[in-house]
Amino acid sequence: MIQYPKGTIRPSQTPRPTKRMERTNHSGRGMFLENLLNQTNQVYLQKQLAVIHKKPTPIQIVNVDYPKRSATVIKEAYFRQPSTTDYNGVYNGAYIDFEAKETKNKTSFPLANIHQHQLEHMDNCVKQGGIVFFIIYFSSLQEYFLVEASYIIDYIKNNGDKSSIPLSYIKDNGYPIFLSIQGNLDYLPIVDELLLK
Amino acid sequence: MIQYPKGTIRPSQTPRPTKRMERTNHSGRGMFLENLLNQTNQVYLQKQLAVIHKKPTPIQIVNVDYPKRSATVIKEAYFRQPSTTDYNGVYNGAYIDFEAKETKNKTSFPLANIHQHQLEHMDNCVKQGGIVFFIIYFSSLQEYFLVEASYIIDYIKNNGDKSSIPLSYIKDNGYPIFLSIQGNLDYLPIVDELLLK
């Protein structure tokens, strides 16, 4: 029989996450930007403007239980480092690929959370003709930017200090994104500009 | 402390799946086609021909442990039904999206494993100008086919029997794929044909 440890939700058919899981992801990072983008992408989908989804978090499963009359239970698993980006999809025939990051910093964007293989993936997608970018949320400033991956990759290649990117560089090379009246982060108009380049 | 139940692998930094997990996925379906496609996509990536990845399996996490000196452990989680397809990526600027299925049947392809929302997702991607298809492996016949999603969607819409699609229909509307000498399932030449249409 399955044991339900204290603090977990007894699953019926579709278990819901605990409150902790809703507010932060496994790294404890804020999920405000992620929720905002998921909601925006949902609106794009409903309006048939674009099909863009967040990829599931990659997980290494080690031990699984197969109870007879209920859903398979994963009893032991670990988070894996993602080898690609969080979001991808299609918009007007174009391949869209991006990573979303938020920071509390006010003057620079820390690079600690971007992995080398993610940058390699983005570089590969650029070479295949994809539209590839970062969406960065400076939560203390409440400002959002879209920056093409190539500018971030260039900065990292050409600068001694690889720990962070100054906000000024992001402002100079990126596009501000604004919340719509409906509360969505409407980034497709910027993708239109990138497609025209 | 973490307890390591019998039959599981004691994780060092990156735990490996048990043999059972390597051979079958959570539904117990064969993973031959999946492994073959992952290997093929890896070759495409190395040769800079295309960037196509399998998405991680969507999992609903219910309970997580945060041990002090080691990796976060997921103690209870459940498989979720995927709302999109297994594979997507970019090839020569085009958005590629496909689902891979294998069957032991010799005369038809059973539709039981294709979910309605997956078909809707594929239909949405077609409308956005993506290249969307199924790769179907008839394991008893050792034959592989690539069929555009639109033909599968049409068949399901226009036929009373929605339980399976005859092999003859797949042969008439799809393309056979052949294993290369290197043992890869080289489907990009067929994508080239679809892009010319």
Side-chain angles (χ1 to χ4, degrees):
Chain A
M1 290 305 289
I2 317 166
Q3 285 176 16
Y4 300 104
K6 236 181 170 178
T8 61
I9 292 161
R10 202 183 186 288
S12 54
Q13 274 303 75
T14 49
R16 286 175 309 152
T18 62
K19 285 222 167 154
R20 166 154 201 169
M21 297 305 300
E22 275 167 7
R23 270 181 287 131
T24 59
N25 62 17
H26 65 278
S27 324
R29 277 175 279 138
M31 286 187 76
F32 178 77
L33 180 60
E34 180 177 323
N35 291 334
L36 181 57
L37 284 167
N38 289 346
Q39 173 192 307
T40 304
N41 289 335
Q42 193 58 38
V43 171
Y44 287 162
L45 189 65
Q46 279 162 2
K47 292 188 175 175
Q48 302 215 329
L49 291 173
V51 183
I52 295 163
H53 287 280
K54 186 179 183 295
K55 289 185 201 169
T57 306
I59 281 163
Q60 183 65 62
I61 298 164
V62 174
N63 188 23
V64 174
D65 230 34
Y66 301 88
K68 268 192 182 164
R69 258 169 246 274
S70 52
T72 302
V73 192
I74 298 162
K75 302 292 278 183
E76 185 188 355
Y78 298 85
F79 293 105
R80 284 192 308 180
Q81 226 177 53
S83 57
T84 66
T85 42
D86 271 352
Y87 297 85
N88 75 355
V90 57
Y91 169 59
N92 272 342
Y95 175 75
I96 307 295
D97 194 298
F98 67 93
E99 185 68 24
K101 294 285 180 197
E102 57 183 284
T103 177
K104 288 174 184 163
N105 280 29
K106 288 175 183 173
T107 55
S108 68
F109 169 58
L111 292 170
N113 278 322
I114 305 178
H115 309 298
Q116 182 56 32
H117 42 257
Q118 284 185 317
L119 290 173
E120 279 164 22
H121 167 76
M122 293 177 112
D123 200 28
N124 287 332
C125 289
V126 169
K127 282 173 185 157
Q128 282 298 324
I131 302 287
V132 191
F133 51 86
F134 285 85
I135 289 180
I136 303 171
Y137 174 43
F138 287 85
S139 59
S140 303
L141 309 170
Q142 296 201 33
E143 289 189 61
Y144 304 85
F145 295 94
L146 186 156
V147 194
E148 282 174 274
S150 55
Y151 287 105
I152 303 289
I153 293 167
D154 278 357
Y155 185 90
I156 293 169
K157 266 189 195 157
N158 300 324
N159 281 277
D161 177 20
K162 293 185 195 322
S163 66
S164 69
I165 297 181
L167 175 58
S168 58
Y169 181 88
I170 288 166
K171 282 189 172 176
D172 287 348
N173 297 288
Y175 302 78
I177 324 174
F178 302 102
L179 285 175
S180 71
I181 297 168
Q182 293 79 25
N184 298 315
L185 194 62
D186 191 17
Y187 60 91
L188 282 185
I190 302 169
V191 174
D192 283 328
E193 286 198 44
L194 299 182
L195 283 166
L196 286 174
K197 287 216 304 196
Chain B
M1 291 301 292
I2 316 166
Q3 285 176 16
Y4 301 104
K6 238 178 169 180
T8 61
I9 292 162
R10 201 183 189 289
S12 54
Q13 274 303 73
T14 49
R16 287 175 308 152
T18 62
K19 285 222 168 155
R20 164 153 203 172
M21 295 306 299
E22 275 166 5
R23 269 182 287 129
T24 59
N25 62 16
H26 65 279
S27 323
R29 277 175 279 139
M31 286 186 76
F32 177 78
L33 181 60
E34 181 177 322
N35 291 334
L36 181 57
L37 284 167
N38 288 346
Q39 173 192 307
T40 303
N41 289 334
Q42 194 58 37
V43 171
Y44 287 162
L45 189 64
Q46 280 160 2
K47 292 189 175 174
Q48 302 216 327
L49 292 171
V51 183
I52 295 163
H53 287 279
K54 185 180 184 295
K55 290 185 202 169
T57 306
I59 282 164
Q60 184 66 62
I61 297 163
V62 174
N63 188 23
V64 174
D65 231 33
Y66 300 89
K68 267 190 182 165
R69 259 170 246 273
S70 52
T72 302
V73 192
I74 298 161
K75 302 291 280 181
E76 186 187 356
Y78 298 86
F79 293 104
R80 284 193 307 181
Q81 226 176 54
S83 57
T84 65
T85 42
D86 272 351
Y87 297 85
N88 75 355
V90 56
Y91 169 59
N92 273 342
Y95 176 75
I96 307 296
D97 194 299
F98 67 93
E99 185 69 24
K101 293 286 180 198
E102 56 183 283
T103 177
K104 287 174 185 163
N105 279 29
K106 289 177 184 172
T107 55
S108 68
F109 169 59
L111 292 170
N113 278 321
I114 305 178
H115 309 299
Q116 183 57 31
H117 41 258
Q118 284 185 317
L119 290 173
E120 280 165 21
H121 166 76
M122 293 177 112
D123 200 28
N124 287 332
C125 290
V126 170
K127 282 173 185 156
Q128 282 298 324
I131 302 288
V132 191
F133 51 86
F134 284 86
I135 289 180
I136 303 171
Y137 174 43
F138 287 84
S139 57
S140 304
L141 309 170
Q142 297 201 32
E143 289 188 62
Y144 304 86
F145 296 94
L146 186 155
V147 194
E148 283 174 274
S150 54
Y151 288 105
I152 302 290
I153 293 166
D154 278 358
Y155 185 91
I156 293 169
K157 267 188 193 156
N158 300 326
N159 280 276
D161 175 20
K162 292 185 196 320
S163 66
S164 68
I165 297 181
L167 175 58
S168 59
Y169 180 87
I170 288 165
K171 283 190 172 177
D172 287 348
N173 296 288
Y175 302 78
I177 324 175
F178 301 102
L179 284 177
S180 71
I181 296 168
Q182 293 80 24
N184 299 314
L185 194 63
D186 191 19
Y187 60 90
L188 282 185
I190 302 168
V191 175
D192 283 328
E193 286 197 45
L194 300 181
L195 284 167
L196 286 174
K197 287 214 304 196

